Amino acid sequence: MNIGPISFPSRPIFLAPMEDVTDIGFRRMCKKFGADMVYTEFVSAEALVRSVPSTMQKLTISDDERPVGIQLYGREADAMVEAAKVLAEAKPDIIDLNFGCPVKKVAGKGGGAGMLRNIPLMLDITRRIVEAVSLPVTVKTRLGWDAEHIIIEELAEQLQDCGIQALTIHGRTRAQMYTGNADWEPIGRVKANPRIHIPIIGNGDLRTPDDVRQAFDHYGVDAVMVGRASFGQPWIFAEMKEGKEERIEEGKMDSESARRGFGEKLDILEELLRINVERIDERRGILHTRRHLAATPLFKGIADFRSTRIAMLRAETMDELMAILEDIRRRFA
């Protein structure tokens, strides 16, 4: 599979762009464990045009995480075009247009999935950005605004006609947010459309190697994108590619392989903590890491872990948090 000049191996797995999650430390960790492409946190066109420092910092990428995409969102065509030109100067491999974010502060103002209620504007923005930059332009969107307006099959052809070089489809409507189950049937129909010749990337509820196999085997997508399932487990990309997941069953931490796997994964989370603290500062680095410690399935197999979890998520210094993690290691690894 190719996106513009970028070649990918068979059945590639991408890390989805996620606000406050896919910072450079986490992206590089996921890349280390096999993510075939990673994306930055999405950036606001309006903030980019105004050179807001916190937004400009999101454009920092490193060569060891390539290929990397930067995702852009906004609601004004002129600002989106100007912002895309700024993004191109940061030299990502791909510029991805966010027409899928469902959160109220984005979609409610007409950006992200809000564009699903103004298709002419979506297409105008897409066409103008494709013409304005030399980098491959891709789009990420949803099935439609709600269950009464599933428009992705027609929309996919329209976006392709605008010149995009790949399309990622999340199998939910905006109205669903992240509730219910992702519907992959419309994604499969887009891929089976003989008029579609760009790569189709499937997204939504990919949590296990079996989920990934079904996405490729049953729905025929060219690539898949993993989002929330990566929280607290950047190693999930390796597990998905190996076709097996390693879960520690509750109360069964006594085997040598379980203890070894637990210890190795704890090493990864500790490394992520160190990276975040060194990259930002102690307070914010811990905050960035907390969401992964809270979400990781690594601790879900441990009985009577509640008090330890609370202490871990309340720790305010690097030394305090590392001491708790090392105590967990002594007890369970």
Side-chain angles (χ1 to χ4, degrees):
M1 184 195 90
N2 288 0
I3 299 179
I6 309 166
S7 296
F8 295 95
S10 175
R11 300 191 167 201
I13 305 176
F14 298 165
L15 170 67
M18 293 174 284
E19 181 68 5
D20 291 330
V21 176
T22 54
D23 54 57
I24 189 169
F26 188 63
R27 297 196 308 267
R28 293 171 76 177
M29 188 71 74
C30 291
K31 186 71 176 181
K32 176 181 176 180
F33 286 98
D36 292 293
M37 184 158 69
V38 298
Y39 292 78
T40 67
E41 303 169 79
F42 50 80
V43 297
S44 161
E46 288 76 11
L48 206 57
V49 170
R50 291 187 284 112
S51 298
V52 174
S54 59
T55 297
M56 300 302 292
Q57 290 172 4
K58 294 179 181 180
L59 307 189
T60 301
I61 57 179
S62 64
D63 286 339
D64 61 0
E65 61 177 316
R66 292 186 185 278
V68 58
I70 300 180
Q71 193 184 68
L72 179 68
Y73 77 93
R75 59 180 178 174
E76 301 291 340
D78 289 344
M80 286 284 282
V81 173
E82 288 306 307
K85 294 176 182 178
V86 175
L87 290 189
E89 294 176 2
K91 295 182 170 55
D93 297 284
I94 283 171
I95 293 177
D96 190 65
L97 306 183
N98 181 332
F99 299 142
C101 178
V103 300
K104 186 175 182 180
K105 70 177 182 179
V106 175
K109 296 179 180 179
M115 284 287 172
L116 289 164
R117 305 184 84 176
N118 192 343
I119 300 304
L121 178 58
M122 178 196 292
L123 299 177
D124 180 55
I125 288 172
T126 303
R127 189 178 299 109
R128 288 179 59 185
I129 289 177
V130 167
E131 293 171 354
V133 300
S134 59
L135 293 169
V137 176
T138 62
V139 163
K140 186 172 190 283
T141 190
R142 289 184 168 228
L143 303 179
W145 180 258
D146 56 29
E148 287 70 45
H149 299 88
I150 303 294
I151 62 171
I152 191 59
E153 292 178 65
E154 178 184 2
L155 179 60
E157 291 192 41
Q158 293 173 311
L159 288 167
Q160 177 178 264
D161 290 344
C162 291
I164 66 169
Q165 299 196 37
L167 174 64
T168 301
I169 305 170
H170 182 108
R172 288 183 172 86
T173 64
R174 189 276 172 176
Q176 284 181 274
M177 301 293 285
Y178 295 102
T179 63
N181 296 318
D183 183 1
W184 278 71
E185 293 297 335
I187 301 175
R189 290 196 295 271
V190 171
K191 178 56 191 173
N193 182 347
R195 293 185 294 276
I196 293 292
H197 56 78
I198 59 174
I200 300 299
I201 304 159
N203 175 229
D205 293 350
L206 296 175
R207 303 184 183 94
T208 70
D210 283 342
D211 293 336
V212 171
R213 273 194 294 269
Q214 184 172 14
F216 285 115
D217 293 344
H218 186 72
Y219 299 104
V221 293
D222 298 286
V224 296
M225 185 176 284
V226 176
R228 290 173 294 161
S230 68
F231 289 9
Q233 51 174 350
W235 55 79
I236 195 173
F237 296 94
E239 292 184 353
M240 286 177 165
K241 289 195 165 189
E242 292 167 2
K244 61 182 180 180
E245 59 178 332
E246 299 174 3
R247 291 287 180 261
I248 299 168
E249 297 180 32
E250 187 168 352
K252 295 186 178 180
M253 290 286 291
D254 53 346
S255 73
E256 181 181 349
S257 61
R259 290 195 302 272
R260 183 175 63 249
F262 183 90
E264 291 170 352
K265 290 174 179 178
L266 191 58
D267 287 342
I268 295 165
L269 294 177
E270 289 183 352
E271 181 181 356
L272 183 61
L273 171 61
R274 286 190 290 269
I275 289 171
N276 285 336
V277 169
E278 291 171 5
R279 182 178 62 86
I280 317 172
D281 57 44
E282 185 174 48
R283 184 185 67 83
R284 290 182 297 164
I286 289 172
L287 290 175
H288 264 262
T289 310
R290 272 184 189 170
R291 69 172 50 86
H292 293 290
L293 294 176
T296 183
L298 186 61
F299 304 133
K300 291 182 179 178
I302 302 176
D304 302 320
F305 192 70
R306 184 173 183 273
S307 61
T308 303
R309 181 186 299 278
I310 291 172
M312 180 175 64
L313 299 180
R314 287 179 176 173
E316 296 183 350
T317 68
M318 176 81 163
D319 288 345
E320 182 183 2
L321 183 50
M322 286 296 291
I324 294 169
L325 293 174
E326 285 305 305
D327 179 62
I328 294 171
R329 182 189 303 279
R330 284 191 296 271
R331 290 159 55 197
F332 303 110

